[in-house]
Amino acid sequence: LPTIHRALLWLTTMEELTPMMRQYHQIKLEHPDTILFFRLGDFYEMFYEDAVTGSRELEITLTSRNTDKKGKPIPMCGLPYHAANGYLVKLLRKGFKVAICEQVEDPRKAKGIVKREVTRILTPGTAIEEGVLDSKENNYIASLVNEENSSAASFLDVSTGEFWVAEYSGEDACEKIEHELFQFQPKEIVFPESESEDLEKRFPNWFENSPLSIKTPQADWTFNLDFSRRILLQQFKVSTLEGFGVNGYSNALAAAGGLLNYVKQTQKTELDHITGLNLVEQSRFLRMDEATVRNLELVQGVDGNRKWTLLSTVDYSRTGMGARLLRRWILRPSLDLVEIDQRLDAVEELIGSVVKMNRLGKILDAMYDVERLLSRVTMETANPRDLLSLRESIRLLPDLAGELEEYKSPLLRLGTDLLSDVLELLDSSINDDPPVVLTDGRIIRKGFNADLDKLREISTSGKSYIAQLEAKERKATGIHSMKVKYNRVFGYFIEVTKTHLDSVPEHYMRKQTLAGSERYITPELKEYEEKVLGAEESIVELEKELFIGVRSTVAREAQRIQRIARLVACLDVLLTFAEVAQRHHYVRPRLTRSLNLKIVRGRHPVLELQSDEPFIPNDLECDAASHQMMILTGPNMGGKSTYLRQNALIVVLAQAGSFVPADEAEIGLVDRIYTRVGASDNLARGQSTFMVEMVETARILNTATPASLVLLDEVGRGTATFDGLSIAWSVAEYLLKEDSKKARTLFATHYQELTKLEEIYDGVQNYCVTVRESGKKIIFFHRVMPGVANKSYGIEVARLAGVPYPVIERAREILKRLERKQLNLTGSKRSSTVPDGSFEDVQKGLF
């Protein structure tokens, strides 16, 4: 327990508390790591340290109340229950857990204190509320299980039902699982209590760089393999897990079972939309580590912004389902040639008819996020409007299937099960404009239930009955001004002005006296009132009961609905690829199993849209023989980094199944992309910029294969000139000479000495970015051509950056003297004797 709460419980015995506060403490003791929303009438109240935290984080007033027998003030704050969702969103986004404690019996029927129970625990990793979730991203919760030589993880998106497991063994098992953590980006991590101390040591990069991923330890027994297997079999309603391809992955199953148990315990409801497991197999996907994903700005810029990333550039998705799948395909491009070609075939077919593309797009525009609607249905949080949204989405399926009939691609099919029975149920049951709250009525359509129709008839026949009664009483009493009225406080009554009180019959019973009139009730009117008010109460209860029944029936069809949702998501992504290809003139790449990489007039898919100036396209040719390594020289701002990145992005798009920005592209399947670009440090771990550079370089050299694509930008520049040159030379040689590491490599550098590698190794080709000098100015052409740059033009770049004129002129003077060997490296005059370690000696020694 938090310190304050533990102290309060110690100082205040349960006997000193009121019955309501004793109930509060008993519930709080069961959920110590949450903020407890305690339902009192129309409000959720927070007490003690929860109230202090809630007041601060939600910016609501902190008050106090005397709720113990001695009158001691207890901190409290509250919020209306009908407005709770907005406050919950704020707390979840800040990493808090919230336990919702509801009144589970009718206060009018309760004997003593109203019974209360926690009905759901909301956590950042299990949230399904719209305000918490980003429609374009999954919201994963993870679990981790580690053995001596094995590490496993499980990832579950409660809002969509996607359930993944991964398990690796060997010395790099934790490193591989950490890679999965960066891929899935879980908001919460569950793990056995016994591993609490070692967790951050096993996955240091993740826990240092993901502060919003909260840690939730659970009892070790919940990760027991037998227990986990049982809970998974029960969840999926199967007798064996063999069909999911996870046999033999015992730690992964333990992680999955422990995670599922935690989600069930917090959500306290059925999870019928979680229907199976998927095994993460790194051999199926093009692998990119965290540094590569960041450096290529696939889904997020280096500044954290999502604008002008590869994903934002190609994202024309119409549905949340499609947007999430697109993100997954970009982060995990395929290595399956058949799968890639199927996607490309589908994109090519779609591009064939722009008119049909537009019609398909309009249908998808009208479709809601069926995956997340379904999760709310199965978890019993869906309101009437959620079912209406689901109904309208299902209604679009026949039109969508009709538009796809002419296509041949198997990916452009919805199948024959278009959920017509589910649509019929929702059509016949849910009104066209239902309220959000179940108790507001008007949910169920007329004709769906005979008992409900009868009750409504009783309730709505009031006007005609009152008119008849009023006419009858006026005639019987002779009081023509009398009126039969109704209000919420007094119910039905007959109002008679004081001038006619002498004519009031004896069977009229006085109900209220006003200044100018009297109000009466008659036995007949009283009987009618009870009948009508009873009917209205029964209507609310019966509508709620019928709605829950409809929702449960729909939940039982979760697997069928989920299948359609995923087919629609795939169609949405393929249509997105077709639209970006059509808008920006992309071409179909040719994927092969060779090590060739040929791109004709390739373009950077993001940068070509950022500038009003035409983007300068460039070619690339790589293979395992004569063009294994490109040494690229040229000035800063010349476009070397852009060139490296654009070719990697073209590979990512091609293996994701998209057309690419080029005139022609042949892509020999790439198993991994590595990037060593830019300058960054990790001061928290005591790593300088150069140390980070060397760690990333080491990872490349240790794990690259001949099928990899390696982008090296200025390796060695973070240390002394000779040290850096030596490292860069040795790295290049290693990638050229080691048979198991001969990756296709693009090496951008300012070390002109590296261009000598072309004379030594057959697999090296020198290229440079072209510039032209005009007086003291330079013109960048951004063209990559065979050859070697003769200058770095660093001083001209410094001038363009605004370095003061005297500094620029002095730099030019120093450069001239260095080039004429008149100065040593400190800028002072060189002695007549050339010292050891000069450029001349170094060059003679190296070459």
Side-chain angles (χ1 to χ4, degrees), residues 448-458 539 542 546:
F448 181 71
N449 181 273
D451 292 337
L452 180 61
D453 291 344
K454 288 179 182 177
L455 289 170
R456 282 174 171 165
E457 188 177 347
I458 293 171
I539 286 170
L542 183 54
L546 291 170

Side-chain angles (χ1 to χ4, degrees), residues 205 208 680-696 699:
N205 291 325
E208 286 175 9
S680 61
D681 54 31
N682 190 338
L683 299 181
R685 297 185 63 196
Q687 293 183 344
S688 66
T689 298
F690 185 64
M691 173 60 81
V692 171
E693 177 183 339
M694 289 299 100
V695 167
E696 292 179 4
R699 185 181 298 122

Side-chain angles (χ1 to χ4, degrees), residues 114 117 159 256 357 388 431 540 688 698 731:
V114 177
E117 291 179 359
S159 73
M357 278 175 58
L388 186 68
N431 270 326
V540 170
S688 66
V731 166

Side-chain angles (χ1 to χ4, degrees), residues 110-138:
K111 293 181 180 180
I113 191 166
V114 177
K115 186 178 179 181
R116 293 178 174 85
E117 291 179 359
V118 170
T119 57
R120 189 177 168 215
I121 300 172
L122 287 80
T123 74
T126 61
I128 59 172
E129 284 66 27
E130 286 187 357
V132 182
L133 303 176
D134 184 333
S135 64
K136 291 181 177 290
E137 291 185 23
N138 285 96

